[in-house]
Amino acid sequence: MSQQGNKQAKKSGGKKGGKQRELAIAKRSEDYPQWYQDVVRFGELAEPAKVVKGCMVIKPHGYAVWEKIQRDLDGRFKDTGHRNAYFPLLVPMSFITKEAEHVEGFAPELAVVTQAGGVELEEPYAIRPTSETIIGHFFAKWIDSHRDLPLLINQWANVMRWELRTRMFLRTTEFLWQEGHTAHASHDEAEAEVLRMLNVYGDFAEQVLAMPVIRGTKTATERFAGAVDTKCIEAFMQDGKALQAGTSHDLGQNFGRAFDVKFQAESGELEYVWQTSWGVSTRLVGGVVMTHSDDEGLVLPPRVAPIHAAIIPIFRNDEQKAEVMVAAERIKAALSEIDISPPRARYRDFLEVALDDRDMRPGAKFYDWERRGVPMRIEIGPKDLEKGQVCLKMRVDTEAVSGKQFLPEAEFLASARQRLLDYQDALLALARARMAANTVTLDTWEEFEQTFAGDSSKFAWCHWDGTAETEAAIKDKTKVTIRCVPLPGYGPAPEPGVCIYSGKPSAQRVLMAKAY
C-alpha cells in the first residue's frame, strides 16, 4: 500500500478489530455499506469533508474518473446539438416559489443565503438545488419567435441539497452534475427530446461505465417536482438495490407559464414553450464502484479508468534495476501510444501508464494498484528480460479475459489494446449476468415479503394496480419502491394481471426494488 493510503487507513478508524480492521476491506456479504466506504477510501476516490456537513472531498483519482465521464458525455451532448452555458449559483427565492410543485418538492432540501456583506438581504437566495427556475427566467429573455427554437442548453455545475443521511458519491449535500435544459415549439418535439436524452444516458451507462440499466418511466409519485413526466435509467447494484443513474424530464408548459416564456408561432399567435430538463451526477462514480468492485477493492472499466496499466519493475540489485528500468520505460512508451477511444469520439483516449519505481516491496505495490482498480498490471524482472516476456495480470479474471499470464513482449504490446476492450466487454457481461441472476418475477404478496425480508433486495417484476395508495402502502411496509414502468424492450411486455398487494386488476408489470 502507498504511504498516502496507509496514512489514510490509520486515520479512518474501523468499527472493530483495531489496526487490522483499519487496513482491511470489509466483505460485501458481511457488511455491504462498510465495504462500499472501504472501497471508496482505499481506492483513493474521496473522503468525507467532516468540517462541512454532508459533503465530500473528491480526490485526484476519483475526480479523474468524473473527468472521463464528463468528457464522454459532453461529446454526446454536442453531437445532439446542445451547447454549454453557465448560470448563477444563487437563485432568488421568488423564482423557486413561482412553480408550486417545484417549491413543494425542493423546500426541505434548500440551503438559503439571508445575509451577505454583513447586512440582511432584501430577498434571500437559494443555493441552487437545480436550475429550472433561473434558466426559465433567462429563456424568457432569449426566446421571441419559433425561429429561436429549439433552444438546447447544457450546464456543468455543482448543486446543493440539504441531505440528512449522506454517503459519498451516492448522496451528498453538495455534488457535481450536468443539467440539460431545452425549449421547444411543440409537445411532440419535447417528448422526443426527453426520450433521445434518456437513450444517450442509457447508451453511455452500458458502453462507457459497463453498467446495464433498465429504461423506464417514473410513477407520478416518483417523478421530478414540477414535471409532467419523468423517464429514468435504473442500475442494479451488487446488494440487489437499485440506483437511479439518470433522469430525463418532460416539463410540459409548467415552467413556461411560471416564467412567461412565450414565442410567436408560425401562425402569428403567442404560445408558451414546451420544456425539458435532464441530468446525471457524480453518483455515477458510486454506481461504477458498486457495479464492478469486489472484496479486494476497486474495479474500474478501462473507459473511465484514470490509469489503464501499472508497470511493476522487479529487481534485487542496482545492476538488475538498470536493465529492468530500461525495458520498463520502453514498454511504458509503447503503451502510451495506444488509443482506445470509441469510434467517432470527439476525443482521443491514449493509455495512461504508471511506472511504479517506489522504494517498496513488489507485493505492496500489487496490493496498492489492485485497490485502486487499475485494469492491467505488468510485472517485469531479470528472468522476464532473459525470456523476452512480461507477466500480465488483469484486475479481474474472467472467462473472456485470463488473469495472470506470461507473454512475449511484442505479442503483449500488439494485443494490449484489444485486451483492454475485451476487459471492458467482460465487465459489462459480468454485470448483466449478475443482474439477470438477481431479477425475479413475483405474483404473490408472500413471495414479495420473502424476497424483500430484512435488508434483502432484488429486481422484481410485479403487477401494480396503478394507484398512489398501493404504491405508498408497499413502500411503508417493505421500503420497496416502484423504480419504473419499463419502456418497450426493457422489461416484460404488457399483460393483464392482478396487483401484487391489492389484488386489483393490473395492465402490466413494473420494476420494484429497494433503492439508494
Side-chain angles (χ1 to χ4, degrees), residues 74-375:
D74 197 65
R76 292 172 190 255
F77 299 157
K78 288 171 180 170
D79 286 344
T80 48
H82 300 84
R83 296 184 297 167
N84 288 332
Y86 188 81
F87 297 84
L89 170 70
L90 301 178
V91 181
M93 280 299 296
S94 60
F95 284 14
I96 299 287
T97 58
K98 278 190 175 183
E99 212 291 321
E101 289 185 13
H102 192 69
V103 67
E104 183 180 353
F106 281 103
E109 300 176 343
L110 290 180
V112 181
V113 178
T114 60
Q115 292 186 2
V119 298
E120 194 83 12
L121 296 175
E122 290 185 11
E123 179 180 358
Y125 291 108
I127 300 176
R128 65 171 164 240
T130 181
S131 297
E132 279 77 8
T133 57
I134 196 163
I135 289 177
H137 170 79
F138 285 99
F139 274 12
K141 294 166 65 73
W142 298 348
I143 297 171
D144 291 311
S145 164
H146 65 87
R147 297 180 182 86
D148 299 322
L149 301 173
L151 181 56
L152 310 177
I153 296 293
N154 177 64
Q155 173 175 236
W156 293 97
N158 62 337
V159 294
M160 180 166 284
R161 298 177 183 177
W162 208 257
E163 299 283 357
L164 297 179
R165 301 180 64 183
T166 59
R167 188 174 300 180
M168 287 186 291
F169 290 111
L170 299 179
R171 193 174 293 276
T172 51
T173 299
E174 181 191 11
F175 55 91
L176 305 180
W177 77 347
Q178 59 73 212
E179 48 180 321
H181 295 269
T182 69
H184 304 267
S186 72
H187 195 206
D188 286 346
E189 288 182 16
E191 286 183 312
E193 170 78 357
V194 168
L195 190 58
R196 175 173 70 158
M197 299 319 294
L198 181 80
N199 286 326
V200 166
Y201 289 151
D203 292 346
F204 167 81
E206 298 187 345
Q207 295 167 5
V208 178
L209 305 183
M211 184 169 71
V213 294
I214 303 295
R215 310 178 198 200
T217 302
K218 286 292 188 184
T219 65
T221 302
E222 295 286 330
R223 74 168 61 121
F224 179 74
V228 298
D229 184 54
T230 290
K231 299 285 191 291
C232 63
I233 54 172
E234 297 286 331
F236 176 85
M237 303 293 99
Q238 291 185 57
D239 62 347
K241 293 181 181 177
L243 183 77
Q244 181 179 285
T247 50
S248 186
H249 313 293
D250 177 357
L251 303 179
Q253 293 178 311
N254 291 348
F255 289 89
R257 293 181 185 279
F259 288 89
D260 202 31
V261 189
K262 294 179 180 178
F263 70 100
Q264 187 176 42
E266 291 187 62
S267 64
E269 295 186 7
L270 285 178
E271 298 181 10
Y272 290 107
V273 297
W274 301 84
Q275 289 178 245
T276 80
S277 66
W278 29 273
V280 298
S281 75
T282 38
R283 78 166 11 205
L284 288 177
V285 180
V288 169
V289 171
M290 290 200 293
T291 297
H292 301 296
S293 301
D294 57 25
D295 288 347
E296 307 307 315
L298 183 63
V299 173
L300 291 173
R303 295 219 181 277
V304 291
I307 300 172
H308 298 98
I311 301 174
I312 314 296
I314 300 172
F315 47 82
R316 293 181 180 276
N317 54 52
D318 288 344
E319 183 179 353
Q320 289 182 345
K321 178 180 179 180
E323 294 177 348
V324 170
M325 289 301 292
V326 168
E329 291 283 6
R330 180 178 66 246
I331 293 169
K332 178 182 178 181
L335 288 174
S336 299
E337 294 293 321
I338 296 174
D339 181 6
I340 62 166
S341 55
R344 298 179 299 281
R346 285 175 172 256
Y347 59 87
R348 304 293 295 278
D349 192 11
F350 292 100
L351 296 196
E352 291 290 338
V353 185
L355 175 49
D356 192 346
D357 59 356
R358 291 176 293 175
D359 186 15
M360 296 167 57
R361 292 184 177 181
K365 296 180 182 181
F366 300 162
Y367 193 56
D368 191 27
W369 292 112
E370 188 171 65
R371 289 189 164 196
R372 295 177 68 186
V374 174

